[in-house]
Amino acid sequence: MKHIFPTYKQYPMEIVSGHDWHLTDENGKQYLDFTSGIGVCSFGYSNDWIEQSVLNQLGKVWHTSNLYPSALQDEVAKMLCPQGMLAFFCNSGTEANEAAFKLARKYTGKAKILAFNDGFHGRTYGSMSLTGNPNIQSGFAPLVPGIDFADYNDSSAVDQITSDYAAVILEVIQGEGGVNSGHGDWLHAISKKCHDQGVLLIIDEVQTGIGRTGTQFAYEHFDMDPDIITCAKALGNGLPIGAMLGKQQLAEAFGPGSHGTTFGGNKIALSSAKAVLQQLTPDFLQMVASKSQAVFHQIDQTIADLPIVTKISGLGLMIGIHLDSKVKVADVIAKLQEQGMLTLPAEHNTLRLLPPLVMSQADLLKGIDVIASVLKTASVKVETLA
Ligand SMILES: *Cc1c(COP(=O)(O)O)cnc(C)c1O
C-alpha cells in the first residue's frame, strides 16, 4: 500500500471474494465473517435480491442530481422513516450526523449540543467534534465550539439537559466506544428530559440501525421519542449511503438552499437500500432476535465465566465481549484470523461481533465455539503466567 495514506493499521491479508457470510483472501484461505465490513453487509456477500435491484438500476440511469425529483428516493424514505418523519439522503454516517447537527442548530436557533464520552459519530469536523474520544480529536483543534460531554449512563447527564441546548446526540448502544449498552431507564429519562426542555433528541443509529439489534432501529427497544435519527452503515449493504430522518416540523429549517449534497440519494445507492429494506420484514427481524437469543445463551454457557472475560454486552447481533487488560484484543483477533474467523475490536479492549444478519444459527454458534476455545487458551496462558 505504497500509494495510500496510512490512516488504517491493516491486517495482513486482502479479502478478494465472498459468498453468503463467508470471505476468501488472496491465498484462498476462507473465513467465517463476524464483521459484516464493520456492520455494513448485513445481507452478506451474495444476496440475489439486492444484486438484481442494483443491476436493474445500473441499466437505466446512475445519477441525476437532486435538482430533479426521484420516485425511488421517496419510496425508500417511506420504507425507512418512522411515522411522521422525512428523510435526507447522503453518503455516509458522518454526513448524516453533520446534517442532524446543522438542522438542530438552524431549527432551534441555539448552538449548544450535549454528547457523550465514548460516543462515536464520525470523522468530519462536526461529527468528530461530537465524538467523545480524545484520541480521535487529537491534533485537529480547534474543533467545532458549543459541544459539551457527559458520561454515558450517568444520571447527572439528565440533570445537565436544560433549554439552553439545541440537541442531545447519543447512540443507544455505543459501538466503537466499546459496545456499551444504554440502560433503558436512563435512555428513557434522557428522552423525556429533552422533550420537557424543548431540546431535540438525535439518536445515532448508524451502527445499531437497519435490523442489527432485531428491530429496524435499536431505540425501538426502549421508551424513547427521537426527533432526529441518523443511519448509514447497513442501509446499502456495501454501497455508500446514509440518511438523516427527522420529524416533519423540522422541515421549515431545511428548505431549498439550506443543505445539500451532489451524490446523496443517487439512484445506484438507493436501489440497493430499497432491496435491503424490502427484506427487512417483521419475520426477518424476528429471526434475528431469535438467533440472537441462541447466541447470547451460548456465550453465557461458554464465554461469560472465563477468567479473562469481564463483561458481555450488546443486543441482537451486536455483541461485545469485554476482555481483562491481561490479554490484548488485537492478539485475540489475530488468533481468530488464524482459525478462519474475522472479528472486530472496540474501545476498552472489547472484542466486537457484528455478523451478517443472514448468518445461519449453526454458523453463528460455530463461531462462538471458536471464540470460546481461543479465549479459553488465552485464559490458561494468563493464569500460567500469574
Ligand atoms: C460508523 C459510525 C459513524 C460514521 O459513519 P461513516 O460512514 O464512517 O462516516 C457514525 N456513527 C456511528 C454510531 C458509527 O458507528
Side-chain angles (χ1 to χ4, degrees):
M1 299 288 278
K2 287 200 190 81
H3 307 283
I4 305 292
F5 272 109
T7 53
Y8 282 87
K9 183 171 185 289
Q10 297 182 317
Y11 297 118
M13 69 292 192
E14 177 171 357
I15 304 297
V16 293
S17 67
H19 71 89
D20 299 303
W21 45 88
H22 304 280
L23 291 168
T24 305
D25 73 15
E26 79 257 55
N27 300 315
K29 184 175 162 93
Q30 294 224 16
Y31 301 89
L32 190 57
D33 176 40
F34 271 64
T35 71
S36 307
I38 320 189
V40 169
C41 308
S42 286
F43 286 90
Y45 304 99
S46 50
N47 186 278
D48 282 341
W49 189 253
I50 299 172
E51 238 174 83
Q52 282 313 310
S53 181
V54 174
L55 283 171
N56 177 44
Q57 190 61 48
L58 276 169
K60 291 182 185 166
V61 61
W62 298 12
H63 172 91
T64 63
S65 86
N66 286 302
L67 298 175
Y68 306 92
S70 161
L72 181 57
Q73 273 192 26
D74 212 50
E75 202 179 348
V76 174
K78 183 161 184 259
M79 286 192 274
L80 184 58
C81 286
Q83 189 68 33
M85 284 195 176
L86 303 172
F88 173 84
F89 288 108
C90 52
N91 309 287
S92 65
T94 199
E95 279 180 54
N97 287 325
E98 289 292 333
F101 192 173
K102 287 178 69 176
L103 177 57
R105 279 192 169 169
K106 189 148 189 280
Y107 178 78
T108 62
K110 296 182 279 184
K112 279 173 61 163
I113 311 277
L114 184 67
F116 290 93
N117 294 320
D118 280 326
F120 181 81
H121 302 294
R123 300 284 194 159
T124 51
Y125 258 98
S127 301
M128 173 182 64
S129 301
L130 295 166
T131 288
N133 180 338
N135 295 328
I136 285 174
Q137 298 178 336
S138 168
F140 296 116
L143 302 179
V144 176
I147 298 163
D148 295 331
F149 287 93
D151 283 339
Y152 195 69
N153 278 329
D154 182 355
S155 62
S156 67
V158 180
D159 304 330
Q160 196 176 335
I161 298 167
T162 63
S163 58
D164 289 348
Y165 284 96
V168 171
I169 184 166
L170 57 73
E171 302 151 85
V172 301
I173 304 170
Q174 295 183 320
E176 304 300 316
V179 195
N180 309 315
S181 305
H183 302 152
D185 290 349
W186 182 78
L187 291 170
H188 170 68
I190 293 277
S191 177
K192 185 169 181 305
K193 189 72 183 289
C194 281
H195 290 293
D196 290 348
Q197 296 293 316
V199 175
L200 297 176
L201 175 62
I202 304 168
I203 301 190
D204 179 340
E205 293 266 6
V206 170
Q207 190 160 151
T208 51
I210 320 299
R212 175 51 57 187
T213 70
T215 50
Q216 178 147 330
F217 296 112
Y219 81 83
E220 294 169 40
H221 292 279
F222 308 102
D223 188 4
M224 300 181 85
D225 179 17
D227 299 289
I228 296 175
I229 300 164
T230 56
C231 59
K233 287 193 166 83
L235 183 53
N237 204 61
L239 286 183
I241 175 171
M244 180 205 63
L245 317 178
K247 285 186 175 165
Q248 212 133 21
Q249 70 260 25
L250 303 174
E252 68 184 52
F254 251 20
S258 57
H259 191 54
T261 158
T262 297
F263 290 129
N266 91 83
K267 291 183 192 291
I268 302 302
L270 268 283
S271 68
S272 167
K274 177 180 171 179
V276 165
L277 293 171
Q278 282 174 330
Q279 295 178 90
L280 209 66
T281 60
D283 280 353
F284 179 86
L285 293 170
Q286 184 49 52
M287 207 152 63
V288 172
S290 132
K291 287 191 282 197
S292 162
Q293 257 194 341
V295 167
F296 273 98
H297 178 75
Q298 183 93 336
I299 289 174
D300 230 41
Q301 300 288 305
T302 61
I303 292 176
D305 293 334
L306 292 173
I308 57 164
V309 173
T310 57
K311 193 174 64 178
I312 304 296
S313 64
L315 202 56
L317 291 177
M318 177 172 184
I319 298 160
I321 300 172
H322 301 249
L323 303 176
D324 187 279
S325 57
K326 290 190 204 83
V327 282
K328 284 205 206 106
V329 68
D331 295 339
V332 171
I333 289 170
K335 205 65 178 166
L336 286 166
Q337 286 174 358
E338 274 173 36
Q339 310 260 326
M341 216 185 138
L342 302 181
T343 55
L344 289 161
E347 287 291 319
H348 304 299
N349 213 28
T350 308
L351 182 67
R352 178 172 42 147
L353 309 179
L354 298 170
L357 303 178
V358 292
M359 188 182 287
S360 70
Q361 183 160 315
D363 277 351
L364 284 165
L365 298 181
K366 197 167 117 189
I368 297 302
D369 282 342
V370 175
I371 295 170
S373 87
V374 164
L375 291 178
K376 206 176 231 165
T377 309
S379 290
V380 171
K381 262 197 201 138
V382 164
E383 286 188 327
T384 318
L385 286 174

